[in-house]
PDB file of all heavy atoms in Angstrom:
ATOM      1  N   LYS I  21       9.630  11.303 -22.971  1.00  0.00           N
ATOM      2  CA  LYS I  21      10.330  10.934 -24.247  1.00  0.00           C
ATOM      3  C   LYS I  21      11.746  11.647 -24.263  1.00  0.00           C
ATOM      4  O   LYS I  21      11.780  12.927 -24.173  1.00  0.00           O
ATOM      5  CB  LYS I  21       9.541  11.367 -25.507  1.00  0.00           C
ATOM      6  CG  LYS I  21      10.175  10.945 -26.761  1.00  0.00           C
ATOM      7  CD  LYS I  21       9.229  11.317 -27.969  1.00  0.00           C
ATOM      8  CE  LYS I  21       9.788  10.804 -29.244  1.00  0.00           C
ATOM      9  NZ  LYS I  21       8.884  11.068 -30.412  1.00  0.00           N
ATOM     10  N   CYS I  22      12.810  10.940 -24.337  1.00  0.00           N
ATOM     11  CA  CYS I  22      14.163  11.429 -24.379  1.00  0.00           C
ATOM     12  C   CYS I  22      14.463  12.332 -25.482  1.00  0.00           C
ATOM     13  O   CYS I  22      14.149  11.831 -26.625  1.00  0.00           O
ATOM     14  CB  CYS I  22      15.115  10.269 -24.230  1.00  0.00           C
ATOM     15  SG  CYS I  22      16.848  10.854 -24.192  1.00  0.00           S
ATOM     16  N   SER I  23      14.856  13.537 -25.240  1.00  0.00           N
ATOM     17  CA  SER I  23      15.166  14.434 -26.318  1.00  0.00           C
ATOM     18  C   SER I  23      16.361  14.085 -27.017  1.00  0.00           C
ATOM     19  O   SER I  23      16.633  14.457 -28.208  1.00  0.00           O
ATOM     20  CB  SER I  23      15.338  15.874 -25.805  1.00  0.00           C
ATOM     21  OG  SER I  23      14.190  16.262 -25.051  1.00  0.00           O
ATOM     22  N   GLY I  24      17.221  13.204 -26.434  1.00  0.00           N
ATOM     23  CA  GLY I  24      18.499  12.749 -27.015  1.00  0.00           C
ATOM     24  C   GLY I  24      18.295  11.626 -28.019  1.00  0.00           C
ATOM     25  O   GLY I  24      18.731  11.684 -29.131  1.00  0.00           O
ATOM     26  N   CYS I  25      17.642  10.495 -27.530  1.00  0.00           N
ATOM     27  CA  CYS I  25      17.526   9.280 -28.315  1.00  0.00           C
ATOM     28  C   CYS I  25      16.110   8.901 -28.586  1.00  0.00           C
ATOM     29  O   CYS I  25      15.921   7.794 -29.126  1.00  0.00           O
ATOM     30  CB  CYS I  25      18.353   8.177 -27.683  1.00  0.00           C
ATOM     31  SG  CYS I  25      17.471   7.559 -26.146  1.00  0.00           S
ATOM     32  N   SER I  26      15.186   9.681 -28.239  1.00  0.00           N
ATOM     33  CA  SER I  26      13.721   9.456 -28.527  1.00  0.00           C
ATOM     34  C   SER I  26      13.158   8.269 -27.771  1.00  0.00           C
ATOM     35  O   SER I  26      11.989   7.850 -28.042  1.00  0.00           O
ATOM     36  CB  SER I  26      13.487   9.314 -30.031  1.00  0.00           C
ATOM     37  OG  SER I  26      13.778  10.469 -30.752  1.00  0.00           O
ATOM     38  N   LYS I  27      13.849   7.680 -26.872  1.00  0.00           N
ATOM     39  CA  LYS I  27      13.371   6.532 -26.060  1.00  0.00           C
ATOM     40  C   LYS I  27      12.193   7.038 -25.168  1.00  0.00           C
ATOM     41  O   LYS I  27      12.295   8.162 -24.644  1.00  0.00           O
ATOM     42  CB  LYS I  27      14.364   5.874 -25.245  1.00  0.00           C
ATOM     43  CG  LYS I  27      13.916   4.530 -24.657  1.00  0.00           C
ATOM     44  CD  LYS I  27      15.016   3.799 -23.871  1.00  0.00           C
ATOM     45  CE  LYS I  27      14.482   2.601 -23.101  1.00  0.00           C
ATOM     46  NZ  LYS I  27      13.888   1.566 -23.921  1.00  0.00           N
ATOM     47  N   ILE I  28      11.088   6.228 -25.075  1.00  0.00           N
ATOM     48  CA  ILE I  28      10.077   6.661 -24.293  1.00  0.00           C
ATOM     49  C   ILE I  28      10.080   5.892 -23.008  1.00  0.00           C
ATOM     50  O   ILE I  28      10.124   4.656 -22.988  1.00  0.00           O
ATOM     51  CB  ILE I  28       8.652   6.352 -24.997  1.00  0.00           C
ATOM     52  CG1 ILE I  28       8.530   7.163 -26.251  1.00  0.00           C
ATOM     53  CG2 ILE I  28       7.406   6.717 -24.046  1.00  0.00           C
ATOM     54  CD1 ILE I  28       7.479   6.784 -27.206  1.00  0.00           C
ATOM     55  N   LEU I  29      10.169   6.595 -21.964  1.00  0.00           N
ATOM     56  CA  LEU I  29      10.320   5.967 -20.553  1.00  0.00           C
ATOM     57  C   LEU I  29       8.979   6.059 -19.747  1.00  0.00           C
ATOM     58  O   LEU I  29       8.422   7.111 -19.561  1.00  0.00           O
ATOM     59  CB  LEU I  29      11.448   6.749 -19.766  1.00  0.00           C
ATOM     60  CG  LEU I  29      12.746   6.836 -20.399  1.00  0.00           C
ATOM     61  CD1 LEU I  29      13.709   7.629 -19.577  1.00  0.00           C
ATOM     62  CD2 LEU I  29      13.332   5.455 -20.660  1.00  0.00           C
ATOM     63  N   VAL I  35      17.024  10.283 -15.618  1.00  0.00           N
ATOM     64  CA  VAL I  35      18.180  10.095 -16.479  1.00  0.00           C
ATOM     65  C   VAL I  35      17.768   8.960 -17.477  1.00  0.00           C
ATOM     66  O   VAL I  35      17.279   7.935 -17.090  1.00  0.00           O
ATOM     67  CB  VAL I  35      19.404   9.675 -15.735  1.00  0.00           C
ATOM     68  CG1 VAL I  35      20.589   9.533 -16.721  1.00  0.00           C
ATOM     69  CG2 VAL I  35      19.768  10.773 -14.687  1.00  0.00           C
ATOM     70  N   CYS I  36      18.035   9.097 -18.792  1.00  0.00           N
ATOM     71  CA  CYS I  36      17.650   8.159 -19.796  1.00  0.00           C
ATOM     72  C   CYS I  36      18.676   7.038 -19.635  1.00  0.00           C
ATOM     73  O   CYS I  36      19.908   7.234 -19.750  1.00  0.00           O
ATOM     74  CB  CYS I  36      17.861   8.741 -21.233  1.00  0.00           C
ATOM     75  SG  CYS I  36      17.551   7.498 -22.450  1.00  0.00           S
ATOM     76  N   PRO I  37      18.188   5.723 -19.466  1.00  0.00           N
ATOM     77  CA  PRO I  37      19.083   4.607 -19.380  1.00  0.00           C
ATOM     78  C   PRO I  37      19.787   4.217 -20.674  1.00  0.00           C
ATOM     79  O   PRO I  37      20.820   3.524 -20.671  1.00  0.00           O
ATOM     80  CB  PRO I  37      18.190   3.486 -18.845  1.00  0.00           C
ATOM     81  CG  PRO I  37      16.871   3.902 -19.281  1.00  0.00           C
ATOM     82  CD  PRO I  37      16.841   5.347 -19.363  1.00  0.00           C
ATOM     83  N   GLU I  38      19.306   4.775 -21.714  1.00  0.00           N
ATOM     84  CA  GLU I  38      19.851   4.440 -23.059  1.00  0.00           C
ATOM     85  C   GLU I  38      21.006   5.363 -23.418  1.00  0.00           C
ATOM     86  O   GLU I  38      22.093   4.904 -23.833  1.00  0.00           O
ATOM     87  CB  GLU I  38      18.714   4.681 -24.077  1.00  0.00           C
ATOM     88  CG  GLU I  38      18.772   3.893 -25.346  1.00  0.00           C
ATOM     89  CD  GLU I  38      18.415   2.491 -25.080  1.00  0.00           C
ATOM     90  OE1 GLU I  38      17.811   2.082 -24.112  1.00  0.00           O
ATOM     91  OE2 GLU I  38      18.944   1.605 -25.842  1.00  0.00           O
ATOM     92  N   CYS I  39      20.937   6.644 -23.237  1.00  0.00           N
ATOM     93  CA  CYS I  39      21.909   7.535 -23.668  1.00  0.00           C
ATOM     94  C   CYS I  39      22.333   8.525 -22.593  1.00  0.00           C
ATOM     95  O   CYS I  39      23.261   9.406 -22.777  1.00  0.00           O
ATOM     96  CB  CYS I  39      21.437   8.470 -24.839  1.00  0.00           C
ATOM     97  SG  CYS I  39      20.213   9.638 -24.451  1.00  0.00           S
ATOM     98  N   GLY I  40      21.838   8.360 -21.415  1.00  0.00           N
ATOM     99  CA  GLY I  40      22.215   9.245 -20.245  1.00  0.00           C
ATOM    100  C   GLY I  40      21.733  10.633 -20.361  1.00  0.00           C
ATOM    101  O   GLY I  40      22.011  11.494 -19.518  1.00  0.00           O
ATOM    102  N   GLY I  41      20.812  10.914 -21.367  1.00  0.00           N
ATOM    103  CA  GLY I  41      20.198  12.244 -21.464  1.00  0.00           C
ATOM    104  C   GLY I  41      19.316  12.618 -20.307  1.00  0.00           C
ATOM    105  O   GLY I  41      18.808  11.759 -19.575  1.00  0.00           O
ATOM    106  N   ARG I  42      19.278  13.944 -20.066  1.00  0.00           N
ATOM    107  CA  ARG I  42      18.422  14.469 -18.973  1.00  0.00           C
ATOM    108  C   ARG I  42      17.336  15.369 -19.397  1.00  0.00           C
ATOM    109  O   ARG I  42      16.607  15.960 -18.555  1.00  0.00           O
ATOM    110  CB  ARG I  42      19.327  15.175 -17.938  1.00  0.00           C
ATOM    111  CG  ARG I  42      20.216  14.281 -17.139  1.00  0.00           C
ATOM    112  CD  ARG I  42      21.326  15.118 -16.436  1.00  0.00           C
ATOM    113  NE  ARG I  42      22.281  14.036 -15.684  1.00  0.00           N
ATOM    114  CZ  ARG I  42      22.062  13.796 -14.489  1.00  0.00           C
ATOM    115  NH1 ARG I  42      20.958  14.246 -13.783  1.00  0.00           N
ATOM    116  NH2 ARG I  42      22.877  13.008 -13.861  1.00  0.00           N
ATOM    117  N   LYS I  43      17.130  15.452 -20.739  1.00  0.00           N
ATOM    118  CA  LYS I  43      16.119  16.387 -21.274  1.00  0.00           C
ATOM    119  C   LYS I  43      14.977  15.462 -21.840  1.00  0.00           C
ATOM    120  O   LYS I  43      15.260  14.516 -22.607  1.00  0.00           O
ATOM    121  CB  LYS I  43      16.683  17.335 -22.301  1.00  0.00           C
ATOM    122  CG  LYS I  43      17.314  18.566 -21.692  1.00  0.00           C
ATOM    123  CD  LYS I  43      17.725  19.432 -22.760  1.00  0.00           C
ATOM    124  CE  LYS I  43      16.593  20.274 -23.402  1.00  0.00           C
ATOM    125  NZ  LYS I  43      16.933  21.184 -24.424  1.00  0.00           N
ATOM    126  N   PHE I  44      13.678  15.802 -21.449  1.00  0.00           N
ATOM    127  CA  PHE I  44      12.563  14.944 -21.864  1.00  0.00           C
ATOM    128  C   PHE I  44      11.437  15.839 -22.263  1.00  0.00           C
ATOM    129  O   PHE I  44      11.287  16.916 -21.850  1.00  0.00           O
ATOM    130  CB  PHE I  44      12.131  14.001 -20.759  1.00  0.00           C
ATOM    131  CG  PHE I  44      13.107  13.082 -20.262  1.00  0.00           C
ATOM    132  CD1 PHE I  44      14.073  13.308 -19.135  1.00  0.00           C
ATOM    133  CD2 PHE I  44      13.260  11.799 -20.829  1.00  0.00           C
ATOM    134  CE1 PHE I  44      14.940  12.477 -18.714  1.00  0.00           C
ATOM    135  CE2 PHE I  44      14.270  10.896 -20.381  1.00  0.00           C
ATOM    136  CZ  PHE I  44      15.099  11.236 -19.341  1.00  0.00           C
TER     137      PHE I  44
HETATM  138 ZN1   ZN S 401      17.921   8.897 -24.407  1.00  0.00          ZN
END
Side-chain angles (χ1 to χ4, degrees):
Chain I
K21 184 175 184 180
C22 176
S23 303
C25 70
S26 296
K27 189 175 173 64
I28 298 168
L29 305 177
V35 181
C36 175
E38 208 70 25
C39 72
R42 288 167 180 271
K43 281 185 72 182
F44 298 93

